């Protein structure tokens, strides 16, 4: 069998896997995924139909497997099995506890269809992989919160939450959830808040009560990342000159605090930010490496930094 037919066989098998895992698969998406023409995908689908696979649909509208048709369990490659082990370790450390049981059940189903040799591979190697989390996991008052949130997204129904802010104030909100995201060791909801008539993010470990309502919402909100990029406060430009030897420690945090430009000079690295936290969050972050940085602008950032440093010195004298 020549290389052309081997590639075709791999592609046709992968298309069958896509049909098993999704309700509808578009030829255009398959063509982009496998870097071939749409006409090639049409021929591949015809190959599956000739092999007796009952495919419903047609070119231009998408394809799906006939309802009720069952296929033998999917077989996994050795590399895929090893990736499952690593993913399981990551999920154990970084997934929200309300997802843990569901993921464990899903992994048990995956393990059940593995070959005997692959099951032995997992047993032999899973103890050789571990993930050490630098941060402690936050304690949530609710244990099943994320599945409730995901249900509300799927059903497009409003949620009612009792939420505690950082200064311990508690309020009741009705929200329309856009999505959830994990950032800096915390899970957040991005949602439209009917009380504020605007989009807000809520830290999940600060939710005291949550319940689904019967109230539907019809608005299509798009993707969660579309809203995380938006700011509700005016941003201000800040510029720092930072010693090169500290740069490796700022890889992730500099993006979070609004980095827009990075220029290496003979004196160090000039970092330019656009931030809405110029009075509090930004200078407090700057304190963590202030002995390696110089504030170039604005002047009030330098003043605020000195105020914080003076308070720290007075408190610890």
């Amino acid at each position: 069998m020549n290389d052309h037919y081997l590639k075709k066989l791999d592609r046709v098998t992968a298309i069958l896997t896509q049909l098993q895992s999704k309700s509808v698969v578009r030829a255009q998406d398959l063509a982009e995924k496998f870097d071939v023409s749409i006409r090639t995908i049409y021929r591949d689908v015809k190959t599956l139909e000739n092999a007796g696979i009952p495919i419903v649909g047609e070119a231009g509208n998408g394809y799906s497997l006939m309802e009720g048709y069952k296929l033998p369990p999917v077989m996994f490659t050795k590399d895929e099995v090893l990736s499952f082990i690593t993913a399981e370790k990551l999920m154990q450390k970084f997934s929200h506890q309300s997802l843990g049981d569901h993921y464990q059940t899903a992994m048990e189903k995956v393990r059940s269809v593995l070959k005997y040799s692959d099951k032995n591979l997992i047993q032999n190697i899973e103890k050789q992989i571990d993930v050490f989390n630098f941060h402690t996991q936050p304690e949530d008052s609710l244990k099943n919160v994320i599945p409730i949130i995901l249900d509300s997204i799927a059903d497009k129904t409003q949620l009612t939450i009792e939420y505690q802010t950082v200064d311990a104030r508690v309020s009741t909100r009705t929200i329309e959830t856009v999505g959830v995201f994990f950032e800096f060791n915390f899970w957040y909801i991005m949602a439209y808040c009917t009380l504020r008539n605007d989009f807000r993010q809520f830290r999940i470990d600060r939710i005291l009560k949550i319940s689904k309502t019967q109230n539907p919402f019809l608005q299509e909100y798009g993707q969660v990342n579309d809203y995380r990029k938006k700011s509700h406060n005016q941003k201000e430009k800040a510029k720092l000159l930072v010693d090169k030897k500290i740069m490796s420690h700022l890889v992730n945090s500099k993006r979070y605090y609004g980095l827009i430009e990075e220029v290496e000079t003979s004196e160090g690295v000039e970092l330019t930010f656009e931030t809405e936290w110029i009075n509090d969050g930004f200078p407090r972050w700057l304190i963590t490496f202030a002995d390696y940085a110089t504030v170039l602008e604005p002047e009030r950032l330098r003043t605020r930094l000195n105020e914080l440093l003076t308070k720290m010195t007075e408190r610890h004298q």
Side-chain angles (χ1 to χ4, degrees), residues 212-241:
K212 284 181 63 177
T213 73
Q214 299 300 315
N215 304 326
F217 61 90
L218 303 177
Q219 181 67 37
E220 293 291 341
Y221 289 122
Q223 299 181 6
V224 65
N225 283 341
D226 297 336
Y227 296 89
R228 288 185 59 233
K229 296 172 184 176
K230 295 180 180 179
S231 172
H232 301 283
N233 300 315
Q234 186 175 359
K235 292 186 177 181
E236 188 169 347
K237 184 174 290 187
K239 185 175 289 188
L240 309 176
L241 180 64

Side-chain angles (χ1 to χ4, degrees), residues 2-42:
N2 62 35
D3 186 59
H4 168 75
Y5 287 106
L6 284 173
K7 288 181 179 179
K8 179 180 175 67
L9 178 60
D10 289 340
R11 190 174 61 248
V12 169
T13 303
I15 290 173
L16 182 55
T17 301
Q18 292 286 304
L19 289 167
Q20 288 179 265
S21 61
K22 298 180 180 179
S23 56
V24 178
V25 181
R26 296 194 312 155
Q28 181 180 349
D29 296 334
L30 292 172
E32 292 175 359
K33 179 178 180 63
F34 299 112
D35 194 24
V36 295
S37 68
I38 293 180
R39 189 175 295 276
T40 298
I41 296 299
Y42 294 159

